[in-house]
Amino acid sequence: MTSTLDESNKEKIRSVSVDLNNDASLLIDIPDALCERDKVKFTVHTKTTLSSFQKPEFSVPRQHEDFIWLHDTLVETEDYAGLIIPPAPPKPDFESPREKMHKLGEGEATMTKDEYTKMKQELEAEYLAVFKKTVQVHEVFLQRLSSHPILSKDRNFQIFLEYDQDLSVRRKNAKEMFGGFFKNMVKSADEVLISGIKEVDDFFEQEKTFLLDYYSKIKDSTAKAEKMTRAHKNIADDYIHVSATLSSLSADDSTANKKHLEKLSDLFEKLRKVEARVASDQELKLTELLRYYMRDIQAAKDLLYRRARALADYENSNKALDKARLKSKDIPQAEEHQQQCLQKFDKLSESGKKELTSFKGRRVVAFRKNLIEMAELEIKHAKNNVTLLQGCIDLLKSN
């Protein structure tokens, strides 16, 4: 199954807000994308007034692996240790809608033609929704970088945006993937070790406590939102079967009930479309936002980890200096190392405080905006449901 992003869908994919506050001097979007099996080719479009770029406007082709390369280079840059690196976009996953389409094909013989057509339309719409969300999360990643005062000036970011040839970024081989897994294990063990170090700043102690609790709550809310969205999708699917059954009954009925059955069949088809829109809006306005902030909170926790690691290094350098003085050996080297560790820790603390404060403001604005928009859409859909039901009841009474 191949999908492309057309003009009518450009605005729809930007339904999830993370309050990017883009700087007009560097505007980035993904106006076009092409999906071929498991690969998505994105067209990254940039418009800028910055003199560091060769042209004021340009577009380049990019794949998911290019985005991961850019994210990894930012994380590995020592100068950015005190920043919240925007979370990498998740890998495109179209397996679920493909599997459902395959099962639908196998069960075609057990359905009416009308029922099969409607189910197929639903699955095609689901596939397109997944495709649009994939494009959107990749676009948000780039826009987060372009709106950051420091990351927007990164040389690798500029290469990603401007270099008009294939970046030739290969996928990680098994050895590198195992190395990454081992690195995460070491990090987890290191987190346990440094968790016992007493925090010297109340601000960071409060942020750590808050983020750990908040992450747990967001994770739980995400699971519940996904469950709610699935329930609405299942109701929409059930309406297809109800509508098809009523339509089949009306075709075989020659009594006065025929018109009633036709009207009821039409009602459930209209209710199905409304229910599908409810599920789609909840997915974009709530579930996707929660998923995004699960990743963003993890990025903030990673910043706290890097600062805690710097604090541990500073305390260890103090101990090393005490030993050096006690032995009257290598004192200048120990003092220099201690000063380097202190400077790094102070730098991380200063930038980390700014980043976490900004993160809080951005998060509050994003949730407020999306929840208001979702509530307005829920009211709109509820009114549509009432209108459809009332109209059908009045029609049946008049007959």
Side-chain angles (χ1 to χ4, degrees):
M1 189 180 289
T2 302
S3 296
T4 57
L5 191 65
D6 56 32
E7 288 291 333
S8 63
N9 288 321
K10 285 182 185 178
E11 291 305 316
K12 293 180 183 177
I13 74 164
R14 297 178 180 87
S15 298
V16 178
S17 166
V18 291
D19 189 37
L20 297 167
N21 296 325
N22 286 329
D23 183 354
S25 63
L26 183 59
L27 299 176
I28 303 169
D29 67 327
I30 299 179
D32 190 32
L34 176 66
C35 177
E36 297 175 347
R37 292 297 299 169
D38 293 329
K39 283 190 176 182
V40 180
K41 295 180 180 179
F42 305 95
T43 299
V44 178
H45 171 253
T46 304
K47 195 172 183 180
T48 181
T49 58
L50 299 176
S51 58
S52 56
F53 291 93
Q54 295 179 5
K55 299 178 183 177
E57 189 171 0
F58 43 89
S59 296
V60 294
R62 292 291 177 259
Q63 294 187 34
H64 174 73
E65 288 74 22
D66 301 326
F67 288 79
I68 299 302
W69 165 80
L70 177 59
H71 173 266
D72 290 349
T73 60
L74 295 173
V75 170
E76 292 164 4
T77 302
E78 186 69 24
D79 290 343
Y80 303 152
L83 306 179
I84 296 177
I85 308 299
K91 182 181 177 181
D93 183 11
F94 304 101
E95 196 57 39
S96 178
R98 280 203 196 106
E99 189 177 333
K100 290 179 182 177
M101 189 68 76
H102 179 69
K103 287 182 179 178
L104 178 65
E106 290 180 342
E108 183 178 0
T110 63
M111 304 179 190
T112 64
K113 184 178 180 181
D114 186 48
E115 199 173 4
Y116 174 78
T117 301
K118 289 175 181 176
M119 288 292 287
K120 186 179 179 182
Q121 288 173 350
E122 280 293 303
L123 289 178
E124 287 173 345
E126 182 181 339
Y127 184 91
L128 182 60
V130 172
F131 176 69
K132 289 192 290 183
K133 282 186 290 184
T134 297
V135 174
Q136 189 253 347
V137 293
H138 285 74
E139 184 178 76
V140 165
F141 171 67
L142 296 178
Q143 291 176 346
R144 277 283 305 278
L145 294 177
S146 70
S147 64
H148 196 282
I150 296 174
L151 297 176
S152 60
K153 297 177 176 64
D154 180 75
R155 177 58 183 160
N156 285 319
F157 182 41
Q158 184 173 334
I159 291 171
F160 177 94
L161 295 176
E162 198 169 29
Y163 184 62
D164 60 3
Q165 302 297 318
D166 187 354
L167 288 178
S168 299
V169 177
R170 63 175 175 80
R171 294 190 178 189
K172 292 183 178 180
N173 57 38
K175 182 179 179 181
E176 289 169 327
M177 291 177 70
F178 178 77
F181 173 72
F182 182 73
K183 185 178 179 181
N184 287 333
M185 287 181 63
V186 171
K187 179 189 169 188
S188 298
D190 196 35
E191 284 178 328
V192 174
L193 290 174
I194 64 178
S195 63
I197 296 176
K198 183 174 175 60
E199 179 57 66
V200 295
D201 190 319
D202 289 341
F203 173 83
F204 287 100
E205 182 64 31
Q206 291 169 6
E207 284 297 310
K208 178 183 176 182
T209 303
F210 170 76
L211 287 176
L212 288 173
D213 181 57
Y214 191 62
Y215 180 83
S216 177
K217 286 182 168 60
I218 290 291
K219 185 177 180 180
D220 182 55
S221 298
T222 303
K224 289 177 179 177
E226 289 173 345
K227 186 176 180 181
M228 176 181 68
T229 304
R230 279 197 304 272
H232 282 291
K233 287 179 179 177
N234 290 337
I235 290 172
D237 289 343
D238 290 342
Y239 281 165
I240 291 176
H241 299 302
V242 174
S243 176
T245 301
L246 290 169
S247 179
S248 179
L249 288 172
S250 68
D252 297 333
D253 199 314
S254 57
T255 67
N257 289 329
K258 184 179 180 68
K259 287 186 178 180
H260 293 166
L261 292 170
E262 289 175 346
K263 295 299 178 186
L264 285 172
S265 175
D266 184 56
L267 169 67
F268 277 100
E269 172 58 18
K270 290 177 179 177
L271 288 175
R272 191 264 308 175
K273 291 179 180 178
V274 173
E275 201 66 32
R277 282 196 288 270
V278 169
S280 177
D281 289 338
Q282 287 178 346
E283 177 82 11
L284 285 172
K285 294 295 180 183
L286 181 60
T287 311
E288 276 302 303
L289 185 72
L290 290 169
R291 288 191 192 119
Y292 182 84
Y293 273 98
M294 269 185 67
R295 300 194 298 272
D296 213 14
I297 292 166
Q298 184 58 53
K301 286 164 62 182
D302 288 342
L303 164 59
L304 290 179
Y305 162 74
R306 292 192 292 268
R307 180 184 170 277
R309 179 68 268 169
L311 174 58
D313 290 342
Y314 173 58
E315 293 195 353
N316 289 334
S317 72
N318 284 332
K319 293 175 183 177
L321 179 58
D322 290 339
K323 286 183 179 179
R325 285 171 176 167
L326 191 64
K327 295 179 180 179
S328 298
K329 185 180 179 182
D330 299 328
I331 295 176
Q333 293 91 324
E335 287 178 341
E336 184 182 355
H337 179 61
Q338 186 224 30
Q339 283 302 308
Q340 289 174 350
C341 290
L342 177 59
Q343 288 173 6
K344 180 179 179 180
F345 174 68
D346 287 343
K347 183 181 177 182
L348 289 183
S349 297
E350 182 182 355
S351 59
K353 195 169 288 189
K354 291 178 182 177
E355 288 284 299
L356 291 167
T357 302
S358 173
F359 172 65
K360 179 181 179 181
R362 183 174 70 246
R363 186 181 68 243
V364 170
V365 171
F367 271 92
R368 184 177 184 275
K369 180 178 182 294
N370 269 39
L371 290 174
I372 289 174
E373 290 179 354
M374 192 183 81
E376 290 172 346
L377 289 168
E378 295 275 311
I379 293 170
K380 175 187 172 183
H381 295 319
K383 286 180 177 178
N384 286 342
N385 267 339
V386 171
T387 301
L388 288 171
L389 290 168
Q390 190 61 53
C392 185
I393 291 171
D394 293 343
L395 194 62
L396 291 173
K397 282 182 176 179
S398 67
N399 289 335

